[in-house]
């Protein structure tokens, strides 16, 4: 017995929405027909989309599920439910757990948990170095064979250029990407916010843009030397965008991602209350950096959007700007934020935003999802583009309440999420 999704608004290849009926059989999209035709729905489950927008399931290639080790912040169960509520059907989780994902055993633990308790597809990264200490490479071949989709020490930058070059050469030899958290530790110690207006106003030590861009520049040269697919995490500075743009122009295999908060907020938006829900890594930069990130996304320098979903407990975030951990939650607000700010205002097309969150993440990482057409996997997200609602962290599925977007009025809220033909979340 299949599922008919009736009266859905589907992008027709341009930026026009067309009314369609979509038949899902098993885990596949079987047929897509014009809504003017009445299908035979006998023996099928029927979902009336009532004109809501049907997109391919969203893909998030940078998330923190916190398990194992930090289950008080998030679990694979709560994190994947949160992802489903945000319209995501595939997510890639970072290895900075406890223990870190630097062995086959820990990687298999994550995969098994995702299989038994998760509601969306979970793709785990493995560490570049043992314990993320930057001293010794992990067993890349064994971790790839066990199901790792790439290597990263996210949460810390690999400080040694020689270690990074060795990692890239090894990854290139087995056809795997290196995903880099770019941060020079000598420039960031003891700082909680960006080096900008907010830091100056409050007499705080700031994190300079160069702390990120120095690693981006270094790694681009190492990627050129080794031929690896090098992917830059959460780009936040004008200098990084410039370096990535130049690298792409001369054919170096570099891709990059940006988070909604670095497209929407600058350090000038941080409240004087020093609310640590505005503390994230990379930090909020200057308005100039925000403009550079937007331009980079639009011109293709930055390939994809990710959330960097990073839940923390309310107790941790209550410690204040200097002592609280870095990070905000992102799954449940990502699409509405970007839709409201950029698509509803006419700055971007709907197709552009959807591509940056579906088709292009799949292309960058060689995944078979992210496209809505007959014969494809039935990963689907139904989105209400009209109803305006306030961001209310009390309603989140994630354990994390740490967001700077509380109270924002947004449109573009997911209403139903389907993974491989199975509804995993619905309003």
């Amino acid at each position: 017995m299949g599922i008919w999704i009736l009266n859905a608004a589907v992008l027709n290849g341009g930026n026009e929405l067309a009314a369609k009926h979509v038949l899902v059989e098993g885990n596949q999209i079987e047929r897509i027909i014009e809504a003017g035709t009445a299908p035979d729905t006998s023996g099928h489950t029927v979902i009336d989309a009532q004109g809501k927008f049907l997109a391919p399931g969203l893909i998030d290639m940078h998330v923190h599920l916190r398990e194992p080790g930090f289950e008080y912040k998030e679990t694979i169960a709560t994190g994947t439910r949160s992802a489903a509520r945000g319209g995501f059907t595939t997510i890639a989780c970072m290895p900075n757990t406890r223990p870190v994902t630097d062995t086959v055993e820990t990687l298999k633990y994550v995969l098994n948990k995702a299989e038994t308790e998760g509601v969306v597809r979970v793709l785990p990264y493995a560490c570049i170095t043992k314990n993320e200490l930057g001293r010794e490479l992990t067993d890349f071949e064994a971790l790839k064979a066990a199901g790792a989709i790439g290597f990263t020490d996210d949460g810390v930058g690999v400080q040694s250029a020689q270690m990074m070059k060795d990692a890239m050469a090894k990854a290139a030899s087995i056809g795997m990407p290196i995903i880099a958290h770019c941060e020079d530790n000598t420039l960031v110690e003891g700082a909680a916010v960006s080096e900008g207006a907010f830091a100056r106003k409050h007499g705080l030590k700031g994190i300079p843009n160069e702390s990120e861009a120095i690693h981006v520049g270094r790694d681009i040269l190492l990627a050129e030397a080794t031929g690896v697919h090098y992917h830059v995490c959460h780009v936040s500075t004008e200098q990084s965008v410039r370096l990535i743009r130049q690298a792409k122009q001369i054919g170096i295999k570099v891709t990059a991602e940006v988070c909604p908060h670095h497209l929407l907020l600058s350090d000038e938006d941080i409240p004087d209350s020093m609310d640590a829900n505005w503390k994230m890594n990379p930090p909020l930069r200057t308005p100039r950096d925000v403009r550079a990130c937007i331009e980079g996304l639009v011109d293709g320098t930055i390939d994809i959007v990710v959330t960097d979903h990073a839940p923390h407990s309310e107790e941790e975030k209550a410690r204040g700007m200097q002592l609280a951990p870095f990070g905000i939650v992102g799954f449940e607000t990502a699409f509405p934020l970007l839709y409201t700010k950029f698509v509803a205002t006419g700055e971007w097309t709907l197709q552009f935003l959807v591509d940056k969150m579906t088709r292009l993440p799949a292309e960058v990482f060689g995944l078979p999802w992210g496209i809505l057409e007959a014969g494809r996997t039935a990963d689907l997200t139904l989105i209400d583009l009209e109803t305006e609602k306030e961001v209310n962290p009390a309603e989140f599925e994630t354990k994390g309440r740490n967001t700077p977007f509380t109270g924002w009025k947004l449109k573009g809220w997911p209403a139903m999420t389907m993974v491989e033909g199975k509804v995993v979340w619905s309003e």
Side-chain angles (χ1 to χ4, degrees), residues 116-139:
T116 56
E117 296 178 22
V119 298
V120 305
R121 190 179 295 106
V122 175
L123 310 174
Y125 292 112
C127 298
I128 294 172
T129 65
K130 291 182 180 176
N131 286 316
E132 289 200 342
L133 292 173
R135 295 180 194 144
E136 189 183 351
L137 292 182
T138 57
D139 186 340

Side-chain angles (χ1 to χ4, degrees), residues 52 119 127 162 177 199 215 220 332 338 360 370 395:
K52 291 187 180 74
V119 298
C127 298
Q162 185 63 59
H215 268 207
I220 282 169
E332 296 173 56
L338 296 175
L360 292 168
E395 295 174 355

Side-chain angles (χ1 to χ4, degrees), residues 3-10 17 20 22 46-58 84-89 335-336 372 378-386 389 412-419 423-427:
I3 300 172
W4 272 107
I5 302 172
L6 303 181
N7 308 308
V10 176
L17 288 170
K20 305 274 187 180
V22 178
V46 173
I47 296 169
D48 188 353
Q50 297 178 320
K52 291 187 180 74
F53 171 51
L54 188 66
L58 306 182
R85 184 172 181 161
F88 293 95
T89 54
F335 191 91
L372 198 169
D379 287 359
L380 300 168
T381 301
L382 194 63
I383 300 171
D384 182 349
L385 300 179
E386 300 303 322
K389 288 194 301 195
W413 295 95
M416 182 196 79
T417 306
M418 176 183 280
V419 178
V423 175
V424 295
W425 182 82
S426 178
E427 261 183 326

Side-chain angles (χ1 to χ4, degrees), residues 1 16 40 105 112 128 147 189 227 259 289 301 307 359 366 385:
M1 186 176 83
E16 299 302 311
D40 177 11
E105 291 71 34
N112 290 338
I128 294 172
E189 225 160 285
C259 306
D289 294 305
T301 299
T307 66
R359 179 179 65 82
L385 300 179

Side-chain angles (χ1 to χ4, degrees), residues 23 28-32 371-377:
L23 175 61
Q28 283 205 320
I29 299 168
E30 184 66 26
R31 268 192 295 155
I32 302 172
I371 293 176
L372 198 169
E373 61 184 29
R376 295 277 186 166
T377 304

Side-chain angles (χ1 to χ4, degrees), residues 261 264-270 278 284-288 290:
H261 43 276
L264 292 160
L265 301 171
S266 78
D267 67 327
E268 295 181 9
D269 297 309
I270 304 172
W278 293 73
L284 297 175
R285 308 283 189 181
T286 68
R288 179 182 171 209
V290 174

Side-chain angles (χ1 to χ4, degrees), residues 59 229 255 304 358-371:
I59 298 173
H229 171 199
T255 56
I304 63 174
T358 59
R359 179 179 65 82
L360 292 168
E363 280 182 15
V364 166
F365 288 93
L367 307 174
W369 308 295
I371 293 176

Side-chain angles (χ1 to χ4, degrees), residues 46-80:
V46 173
I47 296 169
D48 188 353
Q50 297 178 320
K52 291 187 180 74
F53 171 51
L54 188 66
L58 306 182
I59 298 173
D60 189 347
M61 296 305 297
H62 188 139
V63 317
H64 297 270
L65 295 179
R66 302 301 191 203
E67 190 176 7
F70 299 105
E71 287 83 358
Y72 70 95
K73 298 178 194 269
E74 190 81 288
T75 63
I76 288 168
T78 60
T80 57

